[in-house]
Amino acid sequence: MAEADNDDLISLLEEEEKDIDLPNLLPLLAVRDVVVFPDMLLPLFVGRSISIRAVDEAVAKDGFILLVTQKKQHLKEGPQPDDLYTIGTIARILRILKLPDGRIKALIQGIAKAKIIKYVRKRSFYRVKSEVIFEKPVKNITIPIEALMRSVRKHSEKIIELKDEFSGDISSILESIESPGKLADLVASNLKLKIEESQSLLELVDPVKRLKKINKFLSRELELSSMQAKIQSDVRVEISKNQRDYFLREQVRAINKELGDSDDKSKEITEYKTKIKKAKMPSEAGKAAKKELKRLSLMHPDSAESSVIRTYLDWLVELPWSKSTKDNLDIKKAKEELNAAHHGLKKIKNRILENISVKKLNPQSKGQILCFAGPPGVGKTSLGQAISKAMGRKFIRISLGGIRDEAEIRGHRRTYIGALPGRILQGLKQCNTNNPVFMLDEIDKIGADFRGDPSSALLEALDPEQNSEFSDHYLNITFDLSKVMFILTANITDTIPSALFDRMEVINLTGYTEEEKQIIAEKFLIPRQITENGLTPKTLSISNGALLKIIQEYTMEAGLRNLEREIKKICRKIARKIAEGEKKLFQITQNNLHQYLGLHKYYPEMDKEESQVGLATGLAWTQVGGEVLYVESSLISGKGDLIITGQLGDVMQESARAAVSYTKANLQSLDIEKDFFENLDIHIHVPAGAIPKDGPSAGIVMAASLISSATGKPLNKDIAMTGEITLRGRVLPIGGLKEKALGALRAGINTIIIPEKNKKDIAELPANVKRKIKFISVKNMDEALSIVLEKEKNETKKTSNNK
């Protein structure tokens, strides 16, 4: 809004009112953004052609012109009469100045209010017929009016003080005005009001009412001005504090520089920039790192959030985004490394050599997901270390046994205190390479609870089609796991979720034969224990006979842990003797072995004293390898009930019922009387009753035991059986033939009856196992009985007496 010059305003106010003869016909000047009040002195810039012509017309005559505010401020050229208010102010043009750009600068003075009666001319410029609006002067200034005038003056002075917009003696100017109307017009002309509010004041004829209304506007403006002043004061205080802190930091930096001390924060930021550059991250990770670094640079070094960002940046720069070890693609050398580390395991070694061959021909091939399944102690974990050594890669191992929290695999969100990435990324950071041999041990013992299912979190990591974009909750950006060779280990595969099991290539590791155990002990176990117990080969010698006796009579396992334990026990006792002063070569033989290990723990043939009626020898597969399983049956007086004991599972109990049904259905072919079982109860028992047992492969053994008891014919103690039986006597195939064969060897059994459909599995057995065991395949129960059943005891005795 235009504002009057103080000197002109004072002279205007002091001038005595004079009667001025105002013409009725006046040129009209439409003004924008301002409402001109009487006695108001202000400059106007006139630029529109219609307005310039109106000013020229007024100057050419008596200098009077009607100023009317237009309603819409955005109008361009030529506002229409409807766009203008009907009440304006008659003004006198005191001075004009033509500018070089064609515009006119005019100094005008408001004279009186006027109302437009009629538009006389509308071409080139507007000429209107107007009527002057006279307001009644307030002759008697009452106390309420005086109080209102004081309030207006006080509010005006406060606003001016808060805004600090004017200089000079404002109070004297306001005090010199005694007319309520003129005071209202003076304040309204200098108060920043909306056009509608200013126009409403202009149109209000009663001076007292106008003063009351201006007082309301002043109260509102005073409140706004006070709030604005408070905000500005707060901003100035904050800016002053920030400037003070900035100057202090700059002074500290300058002092440290003079003393030779470095600026820790800038040094830290510089170091992070260097580390980010060296890490060679993908673009997504690089953007995240730079964004977090920028946040860190704007924070106070001691704030809690800055420590969280530092930890996150440390993980980003220390992960091996682009660090890989060079693979050993020499097949012969890799084969030598595998043979030097493990004896046997031909199938697994060939699989690893095939993987190296593929990598040699196609360096871009994805990482493999292998699962070593087998009993404890067969060397699953150590085999992973041998593979890493053969391939020239680093080895990292984590145990998944008992893990129940999904965050152990995928990490925690950064919103949690103490959050960290999952075990997989922790392992990669530890080995500092993105293509290690990564062993996930005991995958079959992973759990699940309310914290999530870790096995489901592994689905992405263990899928070669997805793990190139593995997402960890902590990083919140993808990491490429496609170069990692994952190796999983498990004792059994039944507990592994099917979706996870489908992503693996399962390689079964069975137990070792006695010959294999003897070779492994001589090549690996004995030299290792001699070294670990501080001995030398010149102080200890274990004969082959003693070693074989340890294997047969002191251990009964598929793996090698107990064997190594017994060897370690011998080494400890010899170490004590040497520490006590004995210095000689200690020779361990079959005769003195008991002095070191005590009495033997196992006697494989203790249940094979003679063939017995109702005692059948079977084979079982367990988590720790194959074992011999004995089944006993007995017939006792009763009502034909079936009693099953030995802590058998549902499947095994069903096999027992199937065996009973088969026997009762074939009484005639078995030479058993028709009503033989009517007054007899059948009791089938499997010894080692404290151990749970289950599975269908003992069906043929139970049937043979029952038929032996019913016919009185003993079962050959040197023959073991395995196979599932049907109600019609067919023998169905079973699993784990190699483990069961090794269990039979450990028990001293050299003949095994197997289902006909398992003959194909014999080809995969070690040559020494096939050489020592005679495999007899049968299609049905009749063939098995013809092999395993001996003659009746009475007939055997008669034959011997005749001889």
Side-chain angles (χ1 to χ4, degrees):
M1 181 185 291
E3 297 172 354
D5 183 79
N6 289 341
D7 296 336
D8 294 335
L9 185 58
I10 293 172
S11 61
L12 175 65
L13 293 175
E14 291 177 349
E15 184 181 358
E16 296 180 356
E17 292 184 358
K18 299 178 181 179
D19 295 333
I20 302 175
D21 187 14
L22 298 176
N24 292 331
L25 295 176
L26 292 169
L28 184 142
L29 176 61
V31 294
R32 292 178 292 187
D33 303 325
V34 64
V35 173
V36 180
F37 287 86
D39 299 327
M40 186 175 177
L41 186 70
L42 79 161
L44 288 178
F45 287 92
V46 182
R48 292 187 292 202
S49 57
I50 187 173
S51 301
I52 292 174
R53 284 193 289 270
V55 172
D56 291 341
E57 175 71 14
V59 171
K61 290 189 176 181
D62 48 15
F64 292 106
I65 191 170
L66 180 62
L67 304 179
V68 179
T69 304
Q70 64 187 45
K71 299 175 182 177
K72 299 179 181 179
Q73 309 304 315
H74 62 275
L75 293 176
K76 295 182 180 179
E77 295 290 334
Q80 299 300 316
D82 293 338
D83 299 326
L84 301 174
Y85 287 106
T86 57
I87 294 178
T89 302
I90 299 175
R92 176 188 293 162
I93 299 175
L94 302 178
R95 192 180 304 117
I96 65 169
L97 176 64
K98 292 188 177 182
L99 301 176
D101 58 358
R103 294 185 301 162
I104 294 175
K105 182 179 180 182
L107 180 64
I108 60 99
Q109 175 189 351
I111 303 299
K113 299 178 186 178
K115 182 178 181 180
I116 299 174
I117 303 301
K118 181 180 179 183
Y119 281 84
V120 179
R121 178 188 175 94
K122 294 183 180 180
R123 290 179 304 167
S124 67
F125 65 92
Y126 290 136
R127 181 183 286 124
V128 294
K129 183 178 180 181
S130 62
E131 180 182 1
V132 176
I133 300 175
F134 297 100
E135 64 180 45
K136 297 179 180 179
V138 180
K139 297 180 179 179
N140 186 17
I141 305 298
T142 61
I143 292 177
I145 295 175
E146 181 64 28
L148 184 61
M149 294 178 69
R150 286 187 180 184
S151 176
V152 170
R153 293 188 186 105
K154 184 178 180 181
H155 287 166
S156 300
E157 290 174 2
K158 285 185 178 180
I159 292 173
I160 293 171
E161 288 177 3
L162 288 173
K163 292 187 176 183
D164 196 19
E165 293 181 350
F166 296 102
S167 60
D169 194 357
I170 304 299
S171 299
S172 60
I173 297 175
L174 294 174
E175 289 292 340
S176 64
I177 301 176
E178 298 179 355
S179 170
K182 288 188 176 183
L183 180 61
D185 291 343
L186 175 62
V187 174
S189 62
N190 290 277
L191 194 62
K192 294 181 179 179
L193 300 174
K194 296 180 182 179
I195 295 298
E196 295 80 5
E197 295 172 343
S198 297
Q199 184 67 28
S200 66
L201 288 170
L202 181 67
E203 294 177 359
L204 198 58
V205 178
D206 190 335
V208 177
K209 290 182 180 180
R210 192 158 73 249
L211 193 62
K212 288 181 179 180
K213 194 168 186 178
I214 200 66
N215 189 47
K216 291 182 181 179
F217 289 146
L218 279 171
S219 299
R220 185 191 68 184
E221 185 67 20
L222 179 61
E223 186 176 352
L224 291 174
S225 298
S226 300
M227 184 60 66
Q228 183 181 1
K230 182 178 182 302
I231 293 172
Q232 290 177 347
S233 176
D234 293 342
V235 171
R236 279 195 296 269
V237 169
E238 185 65 27
I239 292 175
S240 299
K241 182 180 180 300
N242 292 338
Q243 288 177 340
R244 176 177 173 274
D245 293 345
Y246 174 76
F247 286 129
L248 288 175
R249 290 194 188 100
E250 289 298 319
Q251 288 175 359
V252 170
R253 187 179 290 111
I255 293 170
N256 288 333
K257 187 175 180 181
E258 290 297 325
L259 293 174
D261 299 334
S262 59
D263 182 4
D264 292 338
K265 183 176 180 181
S266 60
K267 184 178 179 182
E268 181 186 37
I269 300 299
T270 305
E271 287 178 356
Y272 274 124
K273 287 181 180 178
T274 305
K275 289 179 180 179
I276 291 171
K277 190 175 182 180
K278 288 183 178 179
K280 297 180 181 179
M281 305 176 188
S283 58
E284 181 186 7
K287 289 178 182 177
K290 291 175 182 176
K291 181 179 178 182
E292 295 299 321
L293 183 61
K294 186 176 180 181
R295 290 181 60 201
L296 179 64
S297 64
L298 299 175
M299 289 183 179
H300 193 278
D302 297 331
S303 66
E305 183 67 17
S306 64
S307 63
V308 174
I309 295 177
R310 283 192 195 95
T311 305
Y312 182 71
L313 287 173
D314 287 338
W315 275 102
L316 284 181
V317 299
E318 291 176 14
L319 282 173
W321 299 95
S322 56
K323 295 180 182 178
S324 302
T325 54
K326 188 176 181 181
D327 286 337
N328 174 25
L329 302 179
D330 188 341
I331 309 300
K332 292 182 179 180
K333 187 175 179 181
K335 186 177 181 181
E336 292 174 0
E337 293 279 359
L338 289 173
N339 289 332
H342 283 77
H343 174 75
L345 305 177
K346 184 178 179 181
K347 183 178 179 181
I348 298 174
K349 291 177 181 178
N350 288 336
R351 176 64 184 82
I352 301 306
L353 294 175
E354 289 168 4
N355 183 66
I356 296 175
S357 302
V358 171
K359 198 73 178 176
K360 186 175 183 178
L361 299 178
N362 180 19
Q364 303 301 322
S365 62
K366 296 179 180 179
Q368 303 299 311
I369 315 294
L370 303 179
C371 179
F372 295 157
V378 295
K380 299 185 294 295
T381 304
S382 60
L383 185 60
Q385 295 173 332
I387 291 171
S388 68
K389 188 176 180 182
M391 297 183 69
R393 294 189 177 190
K394 290 188 178 182
F395 178 78
I396 189 70
R397 171 191 168 274
I398 63 173
S399 178
L400 299 178
I403 287 181
R404 295 177 177 272
D405 191 353
E406 179 194 357
E408 293 284 344
I409 306 299
R410 284 191 175 274
H412 297 81
R413 300 284 183 189
R414 276 195 292 160
T415 52
Y416 296 102
I417 297 174
L420 287 174
R423 292 279 193 93
I424 294 177
L425 290 189
Q426 288 183 35
L428 293 179
K429 178 190 174 185
Q430 181 180 343
C431 67
N432 199 29
T433 175
N434 63 5
N435 66 336
V437 174
F438 204 122
M439 176 162 280
L440 302 174
D441 224 351
E442 311 294 350
I443 187 66
D444 57 324
K445 297 174 182 61
I446 199 168
D449 62 7
F450 65 93
R451 289 167 291 188
D453 185 1
S455 62
S456 299
L458 283 171
L459 294 177
E460 182 183 9
L462 299 181
D463 190 346
E465 300 300 325
Q466 299 181 33
N467 62 10
S468 59
E469 295 184 352
F470 175 72
S471 177
D472 186 274
H473 289 161
Y474 181 80
L475 292 186
N476 203 26
I477 50 179
T478 59
F479 190 93
D480 187 4
L481 297 179
S482 61
K483 296 179 181 179
V484 179
M485 182 177 185
F486 285 101
I487 297 178
L488 292 83
T489 68
N491 296 130
I492 56 174
T493 57
D494 298 343
T495 57
I496 302 175
S498 57
L500 185 60
F501 185 74
D502 183 60
R503 285 162 165 76
M504 310 171 188
E505 180 181 345
V506 179
I507 300 176
N508 291 302
L509 280 77
T510 53
Y512 297 104
T513 62
E514 291 178 356
E515 288 81 0
E516 288 175 331
K517 287 183 179 180
Q518 197 164 1
I519 295 171
I520 294 170
E522 290 174 353
K523 290 179 62 177
F524 301 101
L525 305 184
I526 295 175
R528 182 163 64 202
Q529 289 306 317
I530 286 175
T531 303
E532 288 184 1
N533 288 277
L535 306 177
T536 64
K538 294 180 180 180
T539 58
L540 173 63
S541 172
I542 301 177
S543 66
N544 291 336
L547 186 57
L548 185 59
K549 191 173 182 180
I550 296 172
I551 294 170
Q552 291 178 339
E553 298 183 9
Y554 289 88
T555 63
M556 182 67 72
E557 59 175 346
L560 300 164
R561 285 203 178 111
N562 286 328
L563 175 58
E564 188 169 11
R565 232 173 251 127
E566 297 299 326
I567 295 171
K568 189 175 184 178
K569 188 176 181 180
I570 295 172
C571 293
R572 286 200 309 268
K573 292 184 180 298
I574 293 174
R576 179 182 175 182
K577 291 183 178 183
I578 294 174
E580 290 176 348
E582 294 186 40
K583 294 182 179 181
K584 64 175 183 178
L585 174 61
F586 293 89
Q587 294 181 332
I588 311 299
T589 64
Q590 295 185 56
N591 297 327
N592 66 359
L593 182 62
H594 65 278
Q595 297 176 6
Y596 297 93
L597 298 181
L599 296 176
H600 56 261
K601 301 175 182 177
Y602 302 99
Y603 187 62
E605 298 185 6
M606 62 181 179
D607 290 325
K608 292 175 54 185
E609 294 178 358
E610 62 177 5
S611 299
Q612 301 178 30
V613 174
L615 177 61
T617 305
L619 297 172
W621 180 91
T622 68
Q623 294 185 27
V624 294
E627 291 184 1
V628 172
L629 181 75
Y630 295 98
V631 177
E632 297 177 345
S633 62
S634 182
L635 302 176
I636 54 179
S637 299
K639 300 179 181 179
D641 294 335
L642 174 62
I643 304 170
I644 303 172
T645 57
Q647 201 174 159
L648 308 184
D650 294 339
V651 177
M652 208 165 182
Q653 291 186 31
E654 290 173 359
S655 296
R657 295 189 187 97
V660 173
S661 299
Y662 167 76
T663 304
K664 290 182 177 180
N666 293 275
L667 293 176
Q668 184 175 357
S669 62
L670 296 173
D671 293 330
I672 301 174
E673 295 180 5
K674 187 176 182 181
D675 55 351
F676 181 79
F677 290 103
E678 289 184 1
N679 298 317
L680 295 174
D681 287 343
I682 302 171
H683 188 169
I684 297 177
H685 175 69
V686 182
I691 302 174
K693 311 166 192 73
D694 203 2
S697 63
I700 184 175
V701 187
M702 292 179 171
S705 175
L706 177 59
I707 293 170
S708 172
S709 296
T711 60
K713 297 179 180 180
L715 295 165
N716 193 328
K717 62 183 176 61
D718 295 319
I719 301 176
M721 297 169 281
T722 181
E724 181 180 352
I725 190 175
T726 67
L727 293 176
R728 289 174 174 77
R730 291 186 301 129
V731 180
L732 301 182
I734 47 84
L737 181 60
K738 182 178 179 182
E739 290 86 350
K740 292 178 179 178
L742 293 175
L745 271 181
R746 287 193 294 272
I749 296 174
N750 300 319
T751 304
I752 300 177
I753 294 176
I754 63 172
E756 178 75 20
K757 293 183 179 179
N758 281 114
K759 285 180 67 176
K760 58 181 176 56
D761 299 328
I762 299 175
E764 297 183 1
L765 298 179
N768 57 351
V769 175
K770 290 187 285 187
R771 186 174 62 252
K772 290 186 176 184
I773 296 181
K774 180 182 179 181
F775 293 94
I776 303 174
S777 60
V778 297
K779 295 181 180 178
N780 51 56
M781 195 66 204
D782 292 338
E783 294 181 11
L785 292 174
S786 65
I787 298 169
V788 75
L789 281 178
E790 296 182 350
K791 294 182 179 180
E792 295 182 14
K793 290 183 178 181
N794 294 334
E795 293 180 3
T796 306
K797 290 180 180 179
K798 288 177 183 179
T799 305
S800 61
N801 291 333
N802 290 336
K803 288 182 180 179

